[in-house]
Amino acid sequence: MRVVVVGGGSWGSVFAAFVAERGHEVTLACRDPMQALAIAETGRNPRYVRDADLSAVSATTVEDAPVADAELVCLAVPSGAFGEVARALPGTAPVLSLAKGLDPSTGQRLSTAVRRRPVAVLSGPNHAEEIAAGLPAAAVIASEDEELGLRLQKELMSPRFRIYVNTDVVGVELCAATKNVIALAAGAVDGLGVGDNAKAAIITRGLAEMARLGEAAGGRPETFSGLAGMGDLVVTCWSRHSRNRRAGELIARGASPEEAVAEIAMAVEGLTTAPILRDLARGLEVELPITEAVCQILSGASLTELASGLMGRKPTGE
């Protein structure tokens, strides 16, 4: 296939390298011309995941990328830019979303910004650093177009990257958005040093929040126990590579959200997604206490008091 990956960050770069390894003709479209030039000259991304071998990838700017002639366009851009990029795409090629979040301008799932062309979503426990190192991973591709999902599974799956398919786009995208917010809370547990028991409780109750919201929005229950749900939630809450977990840890230790992002030097999607997710849940009349607490923390509330509040909520059944 002729594939264009839009987004020269860590995941976009690693995914482009991976797709090229599968024998496809890949162009990596970068926003920064100097970054594109450096990748073209060295076969490495000078900013992100320098271990990723991009020698088989053509790098250029977003404006010059052959999007109109592509057979597949992969969008690996932050949620805040996703809608604008998706709506401006020329041509009619299917879109594979690699982003995890919600559209800040509409409050909707990201794939809803893709118009007049087939769309699929890839999600799961897929830290770019490990995939660049050749470590095994698994993911799910969700699309309402079953033929597209199966085609992408065939073209992209490899012995070290196993892909499953389903048609639950709603559930997969809401899992991807929710897990980043829960990971902020899990990171805060690390920052406060209150132990593995507390962290396991946050993750487990976070999974319950994810499932409540997803089912209310029309997702399927089995999605939340799968790779996009429990799988991605666990790795994002525990991994040393997780930006959202790290941001929560830094904030718990006294950093502002802006200072945390500056130290991490990459997008932290949970910070953008948290208030959008909260508002979506309120509109669906779904209770998300951990998400509500994360939003209050980001607004300057006392983390210690909020933790006590979560522990002191009215007793209920599991």
Side-chain angles (χ1 to χ4, degrees):
M1 291 190 298
R2 296 186 303 277
V3 180
V4 174
V5 178
V6 181
S10 56
W11 186 213
S13 298
V14 170
F15 195 77
F18 167 74
V19 175
E21 287 178 11
R22 298 289 296 127
H24 302 295
E25 180 184 327
V26 182
T27 299
L28 180 61
C30 304
R31 181 176 59 181
D32 184 351
M34 297 305 295
Q35 182 185 22
L37 180 61
I39 294 171
E41 290 180 343
T42 67
R44 304 283 171 175
N45 190 325
R47 298 180 186 172
Y48 307 106
V49 196
R50 294 175 180 84
D51 292 338
D53 182 2
L54 295 168
S55 58
V57 174
S58 298
T60 186
T61 62
V62 173
E63 294 77 14
D64 292 335
V67 177
D69 298 324
E71 295 174 87
L72 177 68
V73 180
C74 305
L75 296 187
V77 297
S79 59
F82 190 96
E84 180 181 356
V85 172
R87 287 186 285 270
L89 291 175
T92 59
V95 166
L96 178 62
S97 171
L98 307 178
K100 298 179 179 181
L102 296 171
D103 189 332
S105 64
T106 65
Q108 301 298 310
R109 293 178 293 105
L110 296 177
S111 69
T112 63
V114 179
R115 312 280 170 78
R116 297 182 296 278
R117 65 177 79 209
V119 61
V121 176
L122 184 144
S123 193
N126 304 144
H127 279 308
E129 296 84 354
E130 294 190 358
I131 293 175
L135 299 176
V140 60
I141 288 179
S143 179
E144 294 177 358
D145 184 333
E146 292 187 64
E147 184 178 342
L148 174 61
L150 291 170
R151 180 189 176 202
L152 293 177
Q153 180 187 48
K154 177 183 176 182
E155 297 289 354
L156 299 178
M157 193 164 79
S158 81
R160 65 182 178 89
F161 194 71
R162 183 168 178 80
I163 295 174
Y164 296 81
V165 294
N166 72 33
T167 57
D168 186 12
V169 178
V170 173
V172 167
E173 285 195 286
L174 289 178
C175 285
T178 305
K179 61 97 181 182
N180 284 329
V181 178
I182 302 303
L184 289 170
V189 170
D190 291 338
L192 291 173
V194 293
D196 290 342
N197 290 338
K199 188 169 181 177
I202 285 288
I203 294 171
T204 306
R205 297 312 303 164
L207 181 61
E209 289 195 12
M210 179 186 290
R212 280 200 302 272
L213 177 64
E215 289 190 57
R220 297 202 301 263
E222 61 267 25
T223 298
F224 313 111
S225 60
L227 289 165
M230 182 171 66
D232 207 4
L233 177 65
V234 169
V235 79
T236 309
C237 289
W238 283 102
S239 175
R240 62 188 176 87
H241 299 301
S242 172
R243 308 171 199 173
N244 291 279
R245 188 211 62 78
R246 178 61 176 156
E249 181 179 19
L250 291 170
I251 291 168
R253 292 178 175 173
S256 67
E258 294 77 16
E259 289 169 341
V261 171
E263 178 163 333
I264 294 167
M266 288 185 281
V268 180
E269 286 287 5
L271 298 176
T272 302
T273 301
I276 308 168
L277 194 70
R278 175 200 60 200
D279 294 345
L280 175 63
R282 288 177 178 176
L284 292 170
E285 298 184 346
V286 175
E287 188 177 14
L288 303 184
I290 298 174
T291 300
E292 292 276 358
V294 167
C295 290
Q296 293 179 57
I297 292 166
L298 298 180
S299 297
S302 166
L303 199 155
T304 303
E305 291 180 7
L306 286 170
S308 297
L310 284 172
M311 293 296 290
R313 294 174 68 240
K314 181 180 177 181
T316 185
E318 187 176 33

